[in-house]
Each structure stands twice: as C-alpha cells, then as structure tokens.
Amino acid sequence: MNILRVEYAITGEVAFLSHLEVTKAFERAIRRAEIPIAFSEGFNPHPKIAIGAPLSVGMAGKHEYLDLELREAISPVNFKEKINTKLPVGMEVLMARIIPKAKPLMAIINSASYRVELDADHVDIAVLKQAVKGFLALETFLFERKTQKGIKTIDVRKGVHELKTAFSVLNFDLEMLLAMGNDGNVRPDEVALAVFAQVEGLSKDAIMKSYRTGLFIFKDGKRISPMNFGSEDIV
Amino acid sequence: MKELILQKILSKVQKPVRYLGNEWNAVKKDWHGTDVKFCFAFPDVYEVGMSHLGLRILYGLINDNPHYLMERVFAPWKDMEEQLRTNNIPLFSLESYKPVKEFDVLGFTLQYELSYTNILNMMDLAGIPLLASERGEDMPLIIAGGPCAFNPEPLAEYIDCFFIGEGEEALPEALEILRTYLKAGKYAPKKELLLKLAQIPGIYVPSLYQAHYDETGHFVDMTLMPDVSKNEVPEVISKRVVADFDQVYFPLNPIVPFMEVVHDRVMLEILRGCERGCRFCQAGIIYRPLREKKLETLKKQAKESLSCTGYEEIALTSLSSADYSEISNLTKDLVQTHGDDKIGISLPSLRVDAFSVDVAKEIQKVRKTGLTFAPEAGTQRLRDVINKGVTEEDILTAVTSAFQAGWHQVKLYFMIGLPTETEEDIRGIAEIAKKVVYAGESALRARRSPKRLKVSVSVSCFVPKAHTPFQWYGQNTISQLEEKQQFLRSLLKDKRIDYNWHDAKTSFVEAIVAKGDRKVGKAILSAWEKGCKFDGWSEFFNFEKWMEAFKEAGVDTAYFANQDIPYEVSLPWEHISAGVGKDWLWKEYDKALAAGLTPSCRTECSACGVCPQYDLKV
C-alpha cells in the first residue's frame, strides 16, 4: 500500500470552496497530472483521498493535510512538481511524503493553529496584551454558539492550548492553538471575542480576518506536525 | 478595490463559489490587447449556466481568437442581488470582475422562455437601458441566440440582434464586422452597424422589421420597415447550419467549475439534429438535418478533453444518442481506453429499446448511471399521433433488460395535454407504469436482488412550440391539465412508483411566451417590473403577478396559449425559418390527427425541405 501524505495551502478565492468542493478540485487535478491514484471498490468508484480536517467556508488554510492512496509508487518530489502545474489558482502543494499504513488524519489531528488579524487602528497593543493575560488566567469562559440545532454552550477557555499576541506589517494579531475534533472544537473568532471581553474598548469590528495556520497532534503540551509522526501512529 | 468589497459580500451570501471565477481553464485575457470584448450572459444561476454546452463551445471558440475576449456572467441569486443593489455595485463579469456595461457586446442565450425576466433583470443590474431604442452607442450591443430565438418576438424590443441557428460561424462573422466598427471608435453609428449585421445570414435585427396588428389587436403580419430595402435585408431569416459537423470547433479545454453543477462532466457532442421527427419536439426540427461526427474524431476529442479537464465522467451528448451510427463501437472503445481510470460514461437521451440497454450495459462496467426512458404517451394510438415510434413491447423489453442487467431504478417521462388525448390515454400511462413495476419485481426477484425497486414517473404539461407540427395546436387549459394530473395521481397510488408532475400554471405562462408576439414582450417587462424573476424556479414563480402583467399589457392569454390557430393565419415567427416548409409542418399536423406515422429521415425522406436548402444529405 502506498500512502502519500500531502501538505497544501488553500488561499485567496478558493477559501470559499466547501470541503467537498476542495476534495473534488484535488481529484480533478490528480487526474490532469496523471497521478496513479487508487480507487475505491463498488458501483461508484472514487479516488482514495482523505482530507485531514475540514476548513470553514471562507477561511484560508496555510498548512493543511490530506492522505492519498496510490496504485503505484511515485516520488513525492515528482508528485509535488506535477500536481502544482495542474492545481487551480490558490491551491498549492507544499510538501509530500510516503508513509506506511497509518491511522487516518481525521483521527490523529486534535488541534489547529489560527491567526486572527486585528485592525491596528482599533487596537491598542498594551490593552490587547492585558486582555490576553486576563483571559489566560481564567479557568473557564462560557460562550453561546448558535448552531443549526439551536444554542450550544461552549467552554472557550478549555479549548485554548496556546495564545499570544503578534505583529505583522500592518496589524496586531492573535496567534492561537485550539482544540479540534473529539477533544472539543473552538473557533478563532470565539476566542478573540472572549479575549476582548476581558477589557474595555475592544470590539468585534477590530477583527479583520482569521485563517488557519496549521493542524497538529497536540500531546503532552507539545505540538507535532502530521508529517512527523512516530511508530505509534502506524496501523 | 472591487475585490475587497466582494470579499466582504461573499461571506454574506449562499454559495459564494458561484461568484469566484478563476476556475481551472478560465481565460482572462488582456483587456487592452483585444479589439472586441464579449460578455456571455446565461440568464440563470452559475450551476445551471455552467452546464450549458453552448457556453463551453463559444467560450473556447471566441477566446482562441487573438482579437476577441469572452468573459462570463450569470444571474446572481436573490441574496447576491440584494448585496449588489444595496452597495451600488453594477453586475460584473467573472473573469475580470469588470462591469458588464463596459463590454462591447453582451450576449444572452435563450434556453427557455421562463428565463426572460432574468434577462431584463440582469440588464437592469448592469445599468443598461432595457429598450433597444433607448440604447446609444455608449452601451454594449445586446445580442441573443439559442433555441428560443426561433420565436424572438417577445424579446424584440430589448435585443439588438438575434442569431438564428448554430452560432459557430455566425458569431465570429458578426464580431469581425463589429471589430472594424470599433477600431474607428465606439460603433457609430449604431443604425449602420445593425444594417451591416442584418446582412449576415442567420442574423435577425428586430428594429428593421415592424409588426402589424388588426383591429382586435391580433398579430397579422411582419414586414420590413419602410426605409429598409429587401435587397439589403432578407424578409425571411434562415437559420445557420454548420455543414461540416465533424470538423466544427469543439472545446477541448472547457472550464472545470469548482461547484457541483448540473452537468459536471465532459460533454462530447456526438450528433447534432435528430432523425426521428417526433411531432412535439422543437429541437428535432431546429437542429435538422442530422449530422454525425466520425468515430476517430470523437475518440480523439474524448481523450484530449479528459486530460485537459480531469473530469471523471464523459457524457455522449445529442438529441438521441443511441442513433449515432457507431454508438456501440464508441462506447466499447471509451470503456476500454479509459476504464482503468474509472471514467464514467453517461448516455442521456436513450431510445426506448433493448439495443439501448445493450449499449448501457457496456458502460456499466465502469460506473453505474441512471436509466431514463421517454415513452411520452400512454397508448400506442397517442404515441403514433406524436410520431414517437415506440411500442409497449419495446418499453417492456427495454426495462426488463435493464432490471435483469443490474438496474433497480428507472425513470419514465410522459406528457399530458397532447393533441387528441382522451381519458384512456391517461389510464395508459398508469398501466405502463404498473407493467414496468411488475417486470421490475420479477426481474429483481429472479436475480435475488436485495435492492428495492423504484420506478419514477415524471409527467410534464405539453407546451406547443413554434416550428413544430403542433404549433397550431392550443394548449389544454390549466383546469384541464390539473384535472388530468389529479386523475393520474389517483391511478398511481403505489409505493413503488414515484410520481412527479409539473405545475400547470407555469406551463401556461410558458405557452403564452412560446407563441408570443411583441405585445407579449410588453407583458414580460411589466412582469419584471412587478418583481418576477427566476420564473423557472417553483419557489419564485408568481402566477398572480404574471396574470396582472398580461392584463395590463392587453394580452389575451387564452388566445395565445389555448386557441387552435387556423392555417391561413400568419404566425408571429414566420419570418424566421428553421429550414422546413410550413406546408410540410401542416401535413405532419394533419397526419398526427389521424395517428399516421412518418418514418425516420434515414429510413425514408419525407421532404421536409431542409436538406436541399442547405445542400446537405442525411
């Protein structure tokens, strides 16, 4: 069995694609690049591609992961070169590696890192730092999330593994590592609002955009990339 | 800039992917490096419009020419429209997000009558005056083509010129003329340009013609405007036909949408036209004569298209795919060549016979697709009236073959409201459905299938169309149709049968527009002003508003939809020719009423007139 683990980015307009649309776009690029992908059995065979974690519609992802099963082995470098010439604008493969049969990405990924860019005109960095400090000192912070089935109460604090402020050229940002999957599911905007709630003077309007910067296995306080996994991940 | 605004709006609308552009194979050319900028407008949402084969063909054809540029625009959904209007953003093209108003030409495809209010709405959103007479040279030229252009009159006051028939040759000819005018500045004067365009075979410029009405306000005649000479512009406009269909332009690298669209696959056009001559079918007449592509051409086009797109399915598209002379060889070859890549092959529009099932079995080797048959009428007598040469034995043999070969689901299409229809014919539909269920049950039982049988019966309301033998026939009234639908429903109460029917009121409005004249055109404007749009979508169609619009425009709805037309009356579309003689159509109508059969073109020519006119042979 040949499994290729792929690290890729979804940026620009393609961030508006749904999970299924991203999968389909990859499937077609794979065909165009003539990558020898394996197919499932049955009446409607489909290419064996498994995306690690769905990305919200409208959100970009700088380091996303998927696994592909191949009919025959190919070199990861060859794969990356070929597929990048056939992917639509905004989708790019960053890295690929052959891995032995492993636990599915969806099962091992339990955390995601995000960057929330804030408008420097609406944010005082000292106030922001104080807000972050205040938030991290809390034990819990409950938030009411509107879902299709009604209101769900989320403990935002419990889902935050790491949180800090950062600078980029034009803004102040919040960088965070949040729980994802079975361990809980917290959204970056929810964390930002929870942080803002610690002080006066920071409102929702300060948030310019949020995007995912990585997916990880968070274990014993450390973050491990899905690309570097150990023997315990082998099936 | 605009992109930034859109980033803000895109997160507020449903399915933002409709408005993104930048799909694989989308072409963004240098605006200033091309002479003619054409915007193709499909008057429905992205996912419907991107399935249109005509768009794929013209997009490739026009963009391949270094002097021209083609971009696309689709009807924005209600929520997007609200955003555009609130934020004062004019309708823009997908490729470069340029306001549609800045293009030199805006071309609409007329696929179905109920899309007309969308056309007006899109023009309004673009900031373009709706009436052709109110548009100056600073506005794009508004053109339209497609099947409904064969009765262009309802849109005559809004469109500058119509393209009748196939566009692969006519459109580049028109753009070339436009190019010479544009080189000298914005095409001035417009009247001179239109006169030049009207001289291209197949192009109809409505402003050069005038409609005449009698004292009761009914259409009586269409003549050239007094200042237009018949030596310059034809009194009758004949459709364009591509003579060498095998070598006609075919788009090998169509856009691959991100979104799931209605036809999400390579569309390989194998055949154009149809030899069957079913009397209700407009497509069968307007695409005459039948022309095929060579097997080798298709094999090459299939291979290229698949490798340029990465699609996982290929559809062998035509009006009657099993009639392609090499269909077995083609499907066998495609399965053999592309089977390992698990490329599915779909065959829409199958004939109702066992041969079709054999062909379908071949493609099942790769991937399962649905099976649809269209008996259209419930009794042999009525099937003979419409010239659908299919017997009950054919139907049962075909479905039995299908069930034995592995299908457990089959869809059957019928129409109600056909000429000479009686209660017995409606009963016939139910009887066929039941026989199909019995055949299905025994076949599934015989091969011990665990799957449950499902027979879908889809029944639409017959709408008489221009240029068919039934163009003189008046549609059943709404209450007649609804009564028939209820009656059929009472006969089809079976859990194994899934019965779908189409709204009779929608079909009524469709019928009025299908045989409408310029007065009906005024009602369409009024309907739009009242808020009508997306009329083909049941959640939007507003019958009361349409009836108000017809009333205010003085349109006698029963006259257009339900009245039988005598032979002597001039039809509002008579100045447009589909290549078949009016007397031939009337002969077919007469024959229909006596349930007489006309054999297929390739079996025996019935002298419809199209082949000699275009110097072609079937």
Side-chain angles (χ1 to χ4, degrees), chain B residues 67-127:
Chain B
H67 302 297
Y68 315 139
L69 164 170
M70 183 190 265
E71 297 192 3
R72 301 158 292 156
V73 68
F74 298 91
W77 194 243
K78 198 170 166 207
D79 52 4
M80 184 56 159
E81 179 177 339
E82 235 171 80
Q83 290 291 329
L84 293 176
R85 289 195 192 272
T86 314
N87 292 295
N88 275 323
I89 301 173
L91 192 63
F92 55 91
S93 66
L94 275 186
E95 280 75 359
S96 56
Y97 278 14
K98 264 227 171 6
V100 156
K101 196 169 51 169
E102 290 179 23
F103 284 75
D104 299 313
V105 190
L106 178 60
F108 286 95
T109 179
L110 310 178
Q111 292 295 309
Y112 61 98
E113 290 83 0
L114 295 175
S115 65
Y116 292 178
T117 50
N118 277 2
I119 291 176
L120 298 179
N121 198 41
M122 287 170 77
M123 284 170 67
D124 182 67
L125 275 169

Side-chain angles (χ1 to χ4, degrees), chain B residues 474-490:
Chain B
Q475 191 189 44
N476 282 187
T477 63
I478 294 174
S479 45
Q480 281 173 324
L481 290 168
E482 286 177 347
E483 201 184 304
K484 291 179 182 182
Q485 284 170 338
Q486 285 309 318
F487 177 55
L488 184 55
R489 188 153 172 236
S490 67

Side-chain angles (χ1 to χ4, degrees), chain B residues 601-618:
Chain B
C601 293
R602 289 202 277 206
T603 311
E604 189 188 309
C605 173
S606 63
C608 70
V610 78
C611 289
Q613 188 173 342
Y614 291 93
D615 201 19
L616 288 169
K617 249 190 234 179
V618 151

Side-chain angles (χ1 to χ4, degrees), chain B residues 350-566:
Chain B
L350 280 182
R351 268 196 338 237
V352 187
D353 60 18
F355 170 73
S356 295
V357 183
D358 274 340
V359 170
K361 272 198 278 200
E362 186 64 39
I363 66 187
Q364 286 307 278
K365 292 182 181 165
V366 179
R367 202 183 268 277
K368 203 144 201 62
T369 59
L371 258 196
T372 304
F373 295 115
E376 305 292 12
T379 58
Q380 195 57 52
R381 187 202 68 83
L382 191 53
R383 283 192 295 274
D384 289 351
V385 165
I386 63 179
N387 205 40
K388 186 94 191 193
V390 149
T391 66
E392 194 172 285
E393 197 187 325
D394 287 333
I395 299 169
L396 293 174
T397 311
V399 298
T400 307
S401 278
F403 291 131
Q404 284 169 346
W407 277 272
H408 60 279
Q409 228 172 274
V410 126
K411 213 187 209 178
L412 301 171
Y413 282 144
F414 290 96
M415 276 185 284
I416 49 167
L418 291 166
T420 75
E421 185 175 75
T422 64
E423 187 183 293
E424 198 184 316
D425 301 304
I426 312 281
R427 276 188 199 283
I429 297 177
E431 270 161 39
I432 291 179
K434 289 193 185 131
K435 286 183 181 161
V436 168
V437 166
Y438 297 150
E441 299 243 285
S442 34
L444 292 185
R445 213 178 307 129
R447 61 177 176 90
R448 295 215 172 88
S449 166
K451 295 234 162 120
R452 205 152 29 118
L453 173 71
K454 185 161 150 209
V455 176
S456 295
V457 172
S458 189
V459 182
S460 60
C461 302
F462 174 55
V463 176
K465 291 282 159 107
H467 303 283
T468 63
F470 291 157
Q471 64 184 356
W472 291 278
Y473 180 68
Q475 191 189 44
N476 282 187
T477 63
I478 294 174
S479 45
Q480 281 173 324
L481 290 168
E482 286 177 347
E483 201 184 304
K484 291 179 182 182
Q485 284 170 338
Q486 285 309 318
F487 177 55
L488 184 55
R489 188 153 172 236
S490 67
L491 300 174
L492 285 176
K493 290 206 149 104
D494 187 322
K495 261 194 221 136
R496 299 158 294 186
I497 298 177
D498 184 23
Y499 171 40
N500 300 302
W501 66 94
H502 293 199
D503 177 44
K505 296 191 169 99
T506 312
S507 302
F508 174 67
V509 174
E510 189 188 328
I512 298 167
V513 182
K515 292 205 282 187
D517 59 13
R518 293 184 185 194
K519 288 198 168 168
V520 170
K522 293 203 201 290
I524 295 172
L525 178 60
S526 175
W528 169 74
E529 283 168 347
K530 290 176 192 298
C532 290
K533 57 183 147 227
F534 284 105
D535 298 306
W537 295 69
S538 56
E539 65 254 50
F540 281 99
F541 178 69
N542 190 318
F543 184 63
E544 288 70 38
K545 288 200 175 139
W546 270 100
M547 292 311 282
E548 253 176 58
F550 285 132
K551 187 161 175 216
E552 284 166 28
V555 169
D556 181 353
T557 55
Y559 174 78
F560 283 97
N562 311 118
Q563 215 156 305
D564 285 341
I565 307 175

Side-chain angles (χ1 to χ4, degrees), chain A residues 5 67 99-105 107-109 217 219 224-235:
Chain A
R5 182 155 289 176
D67 282 345
I99 59 173
K101 187 162 183 203
K103 287 188 202 146
L105 279 170
I108 59 172
I109 292 174
I217 299 109
K219 203 170 144 183
I224 306 165
S225 161
M227 280 307 207
N228 312 323
F229 66 92
S231 50
E232 72 272 17
D233 301 304
I234 298 175
V235 163

